[in-house]
Amino acid sequence: MTETSIEPDDGGAAEIGSVSYVRVAVPIPLRAEFDFAWSSELGNAVLGTRVRVPFARRTLVGVVTEIDISTAVAKSKIKKVIARLDAQSIYSSELWNSLRWASNYYQAPPGEMLFAALPKLLRDGKATDPEGETWYTANDLGSVDSLQRAPKQRQLHTFLLERGAVGANATILNASMQGWRTALRELLNKELIRSEQRSIEISVNEKPLRLIDLNDSQQVAVKAIAQVGQSYFPFLLHGTTGSGKTEVYFDVMDQVLACDQQVLLLVPEIGLTPQLMERVASRFSCAVVMLHSGLSDKERHLAWAQVNQNTARIVVGTRSAVFAPMRALGLIVIDEEHDASFKQQDGVRYNARDFAIYLARQWDVPIILGSATPSLESLSNAKRGRYQYLSLKRRAGGSKLPDVEIIDMRKAPVENGISLQMITAVSERLVRGEQSLLYLNRRGYAPVIYCNSCNEGAKCHRCDAYLTLHKSRQQVRCHHCGYQGVFNTECSNCGESGLSSIGEGTQQLEQVLEERFPNATVMRIDRDSAGSESKLVEMLDAVQSGAVDIILGTQMLSKGHDFPNVTLVGVLNADQGLFSSDFRGAEHLFQQLVQVAGRAGRRQVMGQVLIQTAVPDNPFFGFVAAHDFDSFSELQLSERELLRYPPYEQAVLFRAESNFPGNGLGFLHKVRTWLKQRIGERAVRIYDPVPSPMERRAGRYRAQLLLLGADRKYIRELVGDCCAMLETDRASRKVRWSVDVDPVDTY
Ligand code: ADP
Ligand code: ZN
């Protein structure tokens, strides 16, 4: 340790003590860390602890990333750490190593990466242990005559008295009487009741559900995973929807929990449905913590602490739950590993699945990636022997995969966008008292407003996108920037009042269906109708109870939900994904169709899937109809290999946007020139910068530059150096730029 006496602080009293230097990462969008002086009065400096530091005339919370460094900053210039906030690192060494790796791999600012792993209250500098909860109990003083003329206080006092030593907290009081806070204050003043802090406990399920006997292929999978014991190994569990993957996870989880270890179960954003939560909560008799977007900051902090203290045994959560502060991790499970929601699309652009793989290696524990339609990345890893491939071929409950039929929309008789065959199939379900699910991939298929006089569609004034008509509210909306306006029938282009809508959105289809099937109950489930979590739960309950005949919905419905009485799934429009400019378009569409088809016939009755398309001869639909994901993925992989696209080469996408047209493109041209000079004869493909598929969004012009190469280590160095150059270059301040390593969406 370098010991020097420090200069007196400006205006402060002179201090004598020993000083060393530490490096600190602060949450700012720069790929840099900063040096500070650490005086011995603070105790020992510890890696991974939070500190308060002066930074650009503010005080920031940062994390110590290196201790006992020698600094290049002049002694007269260096600032002092103001306070230390933790005694020990708030990251396990496994998580720490993974976060440090990720910030390097994803070119993420180190401070932002470390902070991404913390709940907001910890980022703000709050203590790691959350405050307890306040409970109130009554003092039994016998005489409460003084409350004769205060009925509210009397009522509250009696209520608490009846609850005895247990007392009540705010939640209980809220549920039992109105306006209790004022009465409570008075009673506390009069010392008729008292308050105390109690730590918050996780409720534990006393009666775990009866176990299911696993079938042969499930047992093979469980055995294979158990065989590696407690060491790192990734498994790719490929099984159609309903093949019993979740039961396999559960069985392996049992074994891990029995060894007193923790389990991390990651699910896609849309997959964290109440159904799954309930299933986990009722299956295990241990403390389960759910991490999802619906939590308040306080709840998130509490959940973090429960995991950190090793009270929580199972953590179920979406993307960012991969950062949960596990203390005795024994297994990671990623359900629907192919899902795009595992990729964070802004800020720190990490992929939770890939992060989890790295994390599992750090912990030296097995990791299971489950999917009905594995990503091409994971399939190729399995082919190369890096992952062990396990498959469940049949549906577990004995039900058969649904029949898939392709409807040729060029020839079929059609009524308002629905083919006659589809209408007949729905009618049959109605007669039999079964449910139909009609699926519409709305993206780009919302009704567009169209002028019959000048043949122009109404566009958003801020985006290169058409406005969508929301008929029930007589509103137009832009689904890209969120713009909302009043719908008027005059064309802004030619002034004629002949505007009409084309294409079918869910709202219009709802109307069509209600007219066509006047005696049926139609329920539309999309982001507009199921705006809140509770509303969605209510709607799903209605479907479960059989109160609904026809369910009409978007992607929201395709995953995770189990609708036992649905025997028909109709896909109204599937083509858009096939003609997407994104090289993953077909892969994503196949995944979606398999997911939605998986909703049909989950029980005894054979399910049927009807898919409407204008390009029935495309080989894609042949694979879909035959449930032949293997051949589809073979073909996709060979195409990717030919084009040297991921997973055969690594992709990095530079993005830039600006309020002025051309700025982003100009910036990326300079980036390209820099990269070109730098690579020399190296085998790195650097494409020309192009405007993004939708160039203008929310008034900003966007452009992108794609780079591909097989030498990952070199690419990382190259892109890292490029980012460092751009950060110091004044010209790059004119645009907002970012870099996306392993992009999942190329726009
Ligand atoms: P997946 O996760 O692959 O979609 P699940 O594990 O959710 O499949 O199983 C689908 C349905 O089959 C569930 O209702 C589940 O309870 C049931 N199931 C799973 N395994 C078995 C089994 N071995 N025997 C009977 N039913 C099973
Ligand atoms: Zn817009």
Side-chain angles (χ1 to χ4, degrees), residues 317-445:
T318 48
R319 183 174 59 229
S320 65
V322 76
F323 302 131
M326 316 304 291
R327 289 290 161 186
L329 185 64
L331 171 74
I332 304 180
V333 178
I334 305 196
D335 191 30
E336 311 291 359
E337 63 89 25
H338 64 274
D339 197 273
S341 75
F342 287 120
K343 179 72 196 283
Q344 166 86 26
Q345 300 283 29
D346 47 38
V348 182
R349 295 167 195 260
Y350 64 95
N351 185 319
R353 176 197 61 208
D354 299 341
F355 186 91
I357 298 271
Y358 195 91
L359 186 68
R361 189 197 284 275
Q362 292 300 307
W363 279 98
D364 201 17
V365 297
I367 173 167
I368 309 174
L369 310 180
S371 176
T373 51
S375 63
L376 296 179
E377 277 76 9
S378 298
L379 280 174
S380 94
N381 275 321
K383 276 195 196 341
R384 290 192 293 162
R386 290 163 155 216
Y387 299 174
Q388 185 175 344
Y389 179 83
L390 302 167
S391 80
L392 304 177
K393 294 264 184 272
R394 270 180 301 276
R395 281 187 158 184
S399 62
K400 295 255 173 9
L401 280 174
D403 256 342
V404 177
E405 223 177 303
I406 308 294
I407 302 175
D408 185 349
M409 291 300 274
R410 295 166 312 181
K411 298 188 189 135
V414 173
E415 202 179 283
N416 291 314
I418 310 179
S419 60
L420 222 55
Q421 191 180 344
M422 187 82 76
I423 289 176
T424 313
V426 173
S427 314
E428 283 168 16
R429 298 308 182 290
L430 290 174
V431 171
R432 297 208 295 259
E434 296 165 7
Q435 292 172 316
S436 307
L437 190 164
L438 299 185
Y439 175 75
L440 191 78
N441 181 359
R442 183 167 49 175
R443 220 162 154 191
Y445 273 94

Side-chain angles (χ1 to χ4, degrees), residues 416-568:
N416 291 314
I418 310 179
S419 60
L420 222 55
Q421 191 180 344
M422 187 82 76
I423 289 176
T424 313
V426 173
S427 314
E428 283 168 16
R429 298 308 182 290
L430 290 174
V431 171
R432 297 208 295 259
E434 296 165 7
Q435 292 172 316
S436 307
L437 190 164
L438 299 185
Y439 175 75
L440 191 78
N441 181 359
R442 183 167 49 175
R443 220 162 154 191
Y445 273 94
V448 176
I449 303 150
Y450 182 83
C451 174
N452 292 316
S453 315
C454 73
N455 294 333
E456 274 292 326
K459 274 191 168 180
C460 173
H461 61 291
R462 303 197 293 178
C463 305
D464 284 336
Y466 290 105
L467 290 169
T468 299
L469 176 62
H470 285 248
K471 248 195 187 138
S472 59
R473 299 212 170 100
Q474 286 298 299
Q475 241 183 12
V476 289
R477 286 191 204 167
C478 172
H479 283 193
H480 300 281
C481 72
Y483 165 79
Q484 298 191 354
V486 181
F487 172 60
N488 63 50
T489 53
E490 267 156 45
C491 173
S492 58
N493 203 39
C494 69
E496 288 290 321
S497 65
L499 288 188
S500 60
S501 60
I502 51 169
E504 288 87 27
T506 42
Q507 293 192 13
Q508 191 172 341
L509 269 164
E510 184 182 20
Q511 223 174 346
V512 169
L513 289 167
E514 274 168 353
E515 280 161 22
R516 191 66 186 68
F517 303 107
N519 298 322
T521 315
V522 179
M523 181 179 272
R524 172 170 62 88
I525 306 186
D526 57 20
R527 264 189 222 300
D528 298 315
S529 68
S532 68
E533 181 104 10
S534 57
K535 184 82 196 170
L536 177 63
V537 173
E538 199 181 295
M539 294 179 117
L540 293 175
D541 280 349
V543 174
Q544 295 273 346
S545 73
V548 176
D549 302 311
I550 303 172
I551 310 141
L552 176 66
T554 56
Q555 263 117 306
M556 233 179 153
L557 277 190
S558 63
K559 285 181 258 185
H561 310 287
D562 194 3
F563 300 133
N565 202 28
V566 166
T567 59
L568 170 71

